[in-house]
Amino acid sequence: MTVSRDAAGRWFVSLLCEDGIAPAPATAATIGLDAGITSLVTLSTGEKVTNPKHERRDRARLARARRELSRTAKDSADREKARRRVGKVHARIADRRRDFLHKLTTRLVRENQTVVIEDLTVRNLLKNGKLARAISDASWTELRSMLEYKCAWYGRELVVTDRWFPGSKLCGTCGAVREKLPLNVREGTCDCGTVHDRDVNAARNILAAGPAAAACGDGVGPQRESSRTGRSSVKQGNQRATAGIPRL
């Protein structure tokens, strides 16, 4: 048993015990996910899950608490109270974000036998000064981590496409790949005449590329093992070329 207290002054008790989770009933459903900022994830079914932007919603409250903290004297009782108020705002943001991600990932894992996601280099994306705060608020790394261990728990498979796979630039109808696709372009028309929603098209291409890479075994291997089940559920698909991708 471990007893701890966070920056908001809340006490927690953590119990370590042996446990096991029964696999969920098998299903034939497969889903592809495209992560974003406006829509936290876009599903290959066309559904878009809106990003709740928890940090942005409490940004004014957090700024006010930080200003009050900066005005207090060092090592004073008022400073400790102000520090706790800042911690409570951070805890409120983190708790809401974690609760939202838990509900989303649990739903996706229970409804689908295979979940296909893209391998995002979040560390490099955070170097973009204009988007770093929004990317941190989206918490894509935590989303992937939850999908990994929940797939292992419930006997699902998580397939990760190669980070260089051109999901957004690839036309899911004719297979043509655009040379450039700026972030402000959310919808476009391919030379074949197909009108694509950028995020939905990317999610469908990710869905098509993941199982294809897993089936041929090219660059596929276990990435994570759950301590509660002993099963590995993550597969990494090395899909640098568009040849062999099934058309939708």
Side-chain angles (χ1 to χ4, degrees), residues 54-113:
H54 297 289
E55 186 272 339
R56 186 170 182 175
R57 290 168 57 186
D58 280 349
R59 190 172 295 176
R61 181 178 300 183
L62 181 60
R64 183 167 58 253
R66 285 175 172 171
R67 286 195 300 269
E68 293 175 356
L69 175 62
S70 66
R71 296 190 187 108
T72 57
K74 187 177 180 180
D75 298 329
S76 65
D78 287 340
R79 188 174 185 84
E80 179 62 21
K81 292 179 182 178
R83 187 190 63 79
R84 290 278 181 87
R85 284 194 289 269
V86 173
K88 287 181 180 180
V89 178
H90 278 295
R92 170 190 170 96
I93 295 171
D95 289 347
R96 289 186 169 188
R97 180 188 295 125
R98 192 178 302 111
D99 178 70
F100 181 83
L101 291 177
H102 270 303
K103 291 176 179 177
L104 174 61
T105 54
T106 298
R107 191 198 98 185
L108 293 173
V109 170
R110 286 181 175 175
E111 293 178 353
N112 301 279
Q113 187 67 33

Side-chain angles (χ1 to χ4, degrees), residues 30-33 44 114-119 157-163 165-167 170 201-221 233-246 248:
T30 303
I31 199 78
L33 308 181
S44 54
T114 303
V115 180
V116 188
I117 62 174
E118 55 185 334
D119 186 16
E157 183 180 47
L158 181 65
V159 179
V160 184
T161 62
D162 185 82
R163 65 183 57 177
F165 176 69
L170 174 66
N201 178 60
R204 290 174 178 172
N205 287 332
I206 290 169
L207 172 63
C216 68
D218 182 20
V220 177
S233 66
V234 182
K235 292 188 176 181
Q236 182 80 24
N238 183 14
Q239 195 75 7
R240 294 184 182 273
T242 60
I245 300 176
L248 297 179

Side-chain angles (χ1 to χ4, degrees), residues 7-248:
R10 302 178 303 178
W11 290 92
F12 295 89
V13 178
S14 176
L15 301 175
L16 179 62
C17 59
E18 293 184 2
D19 191 16
I21 298 179
T27 176
T30 303
I31 199 78
L33 308 181
D34 176 62
I37 294 178
T38 302
S39 297
L40 182 62
V41 291
T42 300
L43 310 184
S44 54
T45 57
E47 178 187 352
K48 293 187 176 183
V49 179
T50 303
N51 184 2
K53 299 180 181 179
H54 297 289
E55 186 272 339
R56 186 170 182 175
R57 290 168 57 186
D58 280 349
R59 190 172 295 176
R61 181 178 300 183
L62 181 60
R64 183 167 58 253
R66 285 175 172 171
R67 286 195 300 269
E68 293 175 356
L69 175 62
S70 66
R71 296 190 187 108
T72 57
K74 187 177 180 180
D75 298 329
S76 65
D78 287 340
R79 188 174 185 84
E80 179 62 21
K81 292 179 182 178
R83 187 190 63 79
R84 290 278 181 87
R85 284 194 289 269
V86 173
K88 287 181 180 180
V89 178
H90 278 295
R92 170 190 170 96
I93 295 171
D95 289 347
R96 289 186 169 188
R97 180 188 295 125
R98 192 178 302 111
D99 178 70
F100 181 83
L101 291 177
H102 270 303
K103 291 176 179 177
L104 174 61
T105 54
T106 298
R107 191 198 98 185
L108 293 173
V109 170
R110 286 181 175 175
E111 293 178 353
N112 301 279
Q113 187 67 33
T114 303
V115 180
V116 188
I117 62 174
E118 55 185 334
D119 186 16
L120 294 173
T121 53
V122 178
R123 183 178 299 178
N124 292 337
L125 293 173
L126 289 174
K127 296 178 182 178
N128 186 329
K130 295 181 179 180
L131 298 177
R133 195 166 189 174
I135 292 173
S136 298
D137 192 18
S139 194
W140 294 333
T141 301
E142 189 171 6
L143 173 69
R144 172 171 173 172
S145 177
M146 288 183 180
L147 286 172
E148 286 182 359
Y149 72 74
K150 289 181 182 182
C151 282
W153 284 358
Y154 299 113
R156 304 310 199 199
E157 183 180 47
L158 181 65
V159 179
V160 184
T161 62
D162 185 82
R163 65 183 57 177
W164 304 111
F165 176 69
S168 299
K169 298 179 181 179
L170 174 66
C171 175
T173 302
C174 69
V177 180
R178 292 189 180 189
E179 292 185 3
K180 295 182 180 180
L181 187 62
L183 287 175
N184 62 336
V185 178
R186 309 314 302 176
E187 186 176 285
T189 303
C190 179
D191 293 338
C192 67
T194 306
V195 179
H196 289 297
D197 178 284
R198 178 193 181 112
D199 298 331
V200 174
N201 178 60
R204 290 174 178 172
N205 287 332
I206 290 169
L207 172 63
C216 68
D218 182 20
V220 177
Q223 298 294 311
R224 177 188 178 112
E225 180 177 298
S226 171
S227 59
R228 302 184 73 177
T229 62
R231 296 190 301 270
S232 177
S233 66
V234 182
K235 292 188 176 181
Q236 182 80 24
N238 183 14
Q239 195 75 7
R240 294 184 182 273
T242 60
I245 300 176
R247 304 299 177 207
L248 297 179

